[in-house]
Amino acid sequence: MDTKPIWIDKSLMIDFPQLNDDLQVDVAVIGAGITGITTAEQLKRRGLKVAVLESRAVGKGTSGQSTGNLYTVTEYPNYEIEEKYDLDTVKQVVQSRKVALEYITEKINQLNIDCDFREQSMYIFENDGSIDFEKEKIIAQKTGLPCSALKNGKVPFNFNEGIEYTNQAQFNPLLYVQHLAKSIHDETCSIYENSRVLEIDEKDEHIRLKTESATVTANRVVHATHTPMGLHIQYHTTLGPYREYGIGVKLRNHIYPEGIFWGHFENKKYSVRTYTIDGEPYLLCIGSMHKVGQAKDNKAHIQELETFVRNHFEVERITHQWGGQNYKSADLLPYIGQKSAGSNQYIATGFSTAGLIYGTLAGMLLADEISGTENPFSELYKASRHQPLKAANKFAKENLNVAAQMIKDFTFPGFDSKDLGVEMGEGKVMQVDGKKLAVYKDKVGKVTALSAICPHMGCTVHWNNAEESWDCPCHGSRFDISGSVIEGPAFHGLERTKSSI
Ligand SMILES: Cc1cc2nc3c(=O)[nH]c(=O)nc-3n(C[C@H](O)[C@H](O)[C@H](O)COP(=O)(O)OP(=O)(O)OC[C@H]3O[C@@H](n4cnc5c(N)ncnc54)[C@H](O)[C@@H]3O)c2cc1C
């Protein structure tokens, strides 16, 4: 089985250079996902000199791990947003997301991007009473969203109630980002891969970004890294990092449903769609979310997806499996804009499961803000907004959870290496010589011992047995078995230790 997202099977074989020489630009964008590449496209269009620094490969972060669905609604029912805010806020969310979807459609047409884009209906339904569709329909009508009550037979699932939204869309997210990046890469907008930003130094009006081999000096910096890099207490304490999984499946009866399907079953949400490569259709199922670093058994989450698909379809075989991360904001809306008053750093985060559109919107909003152009939606998403009442419940819940993790891990001494062995292909946190170590034994018995303390804010990492990584339960940093950063806010990897096991 392929342990990479399905999109990689149909993507461009394209490489961008590594940054080796110092550079001076108007704006440096950190991260080349949908947010970073859209931001760069928009800034370049406004005549600014831009550099995009990507630690790995263009589009292969969360954008290339997503489901590739484009919807003007979000994961939260619109009536929940209305209850927290008001109808005007819902209208703005829907309208701004529509504008971003139009941008994607326009770009695809203008550049003739072949990324399997197609208009689709979106079907949301439940058998657990978790959504009030009557309320949802009323709000949809008031906000001008084209929708109707979902009729039996339209989706390959049994459900109580549901809604159909027309004029939504699907694409291959990785192909889209790669093509967009290719179209903007030149001497005024240079994109670099394998160029991780290790330090951000903001002393005067210039900001210096250090990679392993060079320094970029910029007037403005955009953190298009899904979650801001480094210590940003006001954001990291309001963002909940969640991990979810995807599987690709071949079906025995070759009947593959067309559409965007969001089913709520027994208080769990599953997203299902079809994607075809070279005439071969695959069913994709995404879900089984948990907080990063807090699953007892990550493999069980992938198994849960498989069981769900087997209960509803005739499965021939599972072809792909992968994981990806979401950051949920405390007040249901993403944070997009200047990091704080007077700062030359900008952030775009808290997209939850709606970031292909929100990331695109962020690119448009940030470019407007940086170039001093008014945008009717800037205020709504303003990163430095302060909404203690709107964020209070989730803020308290997320931070109690982080505090509980810290206390649990602080008082948990780790397994004693003398008492408990590590199986081949397994990782375990152990107490050795008074230090907490993240110990991994590979498939031929070679042991790697790293410090188990996350360099971001000092929490203890946990073993992820499905993706073979060390995941931090506090703010979502993840590290590979050699300790290198995979994703999350940490700049640096887990320290290598000299302790002998
Ligand atoms: C399983 C799953 C399914 C989803 N499905 C959908 C969907 O169908 N529709 C939807 O709208 N949303 C979906 N989402 C959410 C959406 O994918 C994300 O919100 C969105 O892709 C975020 O884009 P981004 O560009 O901000 O982040 P990313 O795509 O993660 O890009 C950030 C980039 O920054 C780079 N980076 C990080 N640190 C550094 C550093 N120090 N130096 C240099 N580069 C760095 C990373 O390598 C990465 O490439 C899904 C999410 C998941 C997990």
Side-chain angles (χ1 to χ4, degrees), residues 273-314:
R273 67 164 287 187
T274 293
Y275 185 60
T276 302
I277 303 173
D278 297 334
E280 276 296 322
Y282 296 83
L283 186 84
L284 312 184
C285 179
I286 280 82
S288 202
M289 210 181 264
H290 62 80
K291 278 206 81 172
V292 176
Q294 297 186 26
K296 277 204 180 76
D297 178 1
N298 306 70
K299 282 183 186 165
H301 285 266
I302 295 177
Q303 187 59 48
E304 184 196 306
L305 288 183
E306 189 176 331
T307 305
F308 172 80
V309 175
R310 286 189 189 281
N311 285 343
H312 293 90
F313 298 90
E314 287 185 36

Side-chain angles (χ1 to χ4, degrees), residues 212-320:
E212 210 170 54
S213 44
T215 299
V216 175
T217 307
N219 300 333
R220 314 280 176 89
V221 165
V222 173
H223 293 243
T225 42
H226 206 195
T227 186
M229 297 306 302
L231 286 178
H232 303 275
I233 304 294
Q234 78 273 31
Y235 295 113
H236 293 306
T237 51
T238 53
L239 287 171
Y242 288 81
R243 199 130 192 97
E244 62 177 338
Y245 302 91
I247 55 172
V249 183
K250 288 299 291 174
L251 299 179
R252 232 183 274 285
N253 60 5
H254 302 286
I255 301 173
Y256 291 83
E258 279 301 329
I260 301 170
F261 304 96
W262 277 9
H264 295 257
F265 297 95
E266 280 86 44
N267 289 316
K268 290 193 169 139
K269 182 186 148 194
Y270 300 91
S271 170
V272 172
R273 67 164 287 187
T274 293
Y275 185 60
T276 302
I277 303 173
D278 297 334
E280 276 296 322
Y282 296 83
L283 186 84
L284 312 184
C285 179
I286 280 82
S288 202
M289 210 181 264
H290 62 80
K291 278 206 81 172
V292 176
Q294 297 186 26
K296 277 204 180 76
D297 178 1
N298 306 70
K299 282 183 186 165
H301 285 266
I302 295 177
Q303 187 59 48
E304 184 196 306
L305 288 183
E306 189 176 331
T307 305
F308 172 80
V309 175
R310 286 189 189 281
N311 285 343
H312 293 90
F313 298 90
E314 287 185 36
V315 173
E316 183 190 293
R317 68 197 152 91
I318 310 292
T319 53
H320 299 77

Side-chain angles (χ1 to χ4, degrees), residues 30-36 53-71 97 195-198 224-226 229 242 244-246 271 286-287 322-326 348 351-359 486-488 490-491:
I30 317 175
I34 198 161
T35 306
L53 304 177
E54 165 57 48
S55 59
R56 290 169 176 249
V58 167
K60 291 187 181 163
T62 318
S63 300
Q65 294 157 354
S66 72
T67 323
N69 290 326
L70 300 167
Y71 29 82
R97 289 179 60 79
S195 304
R196 174 175 292 283
V197 173
L198 299 168
T225 42
H226 206 195
M229 297 306 302
Y242 288 81
E244 62 177 338
Y245 302 91
S271 170
I286 280 82
W322 71 94
Q325 204 137 305
N326 292 308
F351 300 152
S352 194
T353 62
L356 295 176
I357 294 267
Y358 271 145
I486 303 174
E487 62 187 311
F491 272 117

Side-chain angles (χ1 to χ4, degrees), residues 15-87:
D15 289 323
F16 294 89
Q18 189 175 24
L19 178 75
N20 289 318
D21 298 314
D22 291 356
L23 203 63
Q24 183 136 15
V25 291
D26 296 316
V27 186
V29 177
I30 317 175
I34 198 161
T35 306
I37 294 299
T38 311
T39 306
E41 191 274 339
Q42 289 278 311
L43 290 167
K44 177 183 169 153
R45 198 195 280 197
R46 286 160 174 77
L48 293 166
K49 187 169 182 203
V50 182
V52 181
L53 304 177
E54 165 57 48
S55 59
R56 290 169 176 249
V58 167
K60 291 187 181 163
T62 318
S63 300
Q65 294 157 354
S66 72
T67 323
N69 290 326
L70 300 167
Y71 29 82
T72 41
V73 292
T74 67
E75 107 185 58
Y76 307 108
N78 279 329
Y79 62 81
E80 264 186 30
I81 302 177
E82 196 220 10
E83 279 159 17
K84 196 173 265 298
Y85 296 87
D86 49 29
L87 184 64

Side-chain angles (χ1 to χ4, degrees), residues 180-209:
L180 192 57
K182 198 172 139 202
S183 77
I184 58 172
H185 179 58
D186 62 15
E187 61 285 352
T188 63
C189 181
S190 38
I191 300 173
Y192 299 95
E193 291 185 326
N194 301 309
S195 304
R196 174 175 292 283
V197 173
L198 299 168
E199 200 184 314
I200 303 176
D201 182 11
E202 186 179 11
K203 277 206 194 87
D204 43 41
E205 73 273 20
H206 295 302
I207 306 174
R208 275 162 285 275
L209 301 185

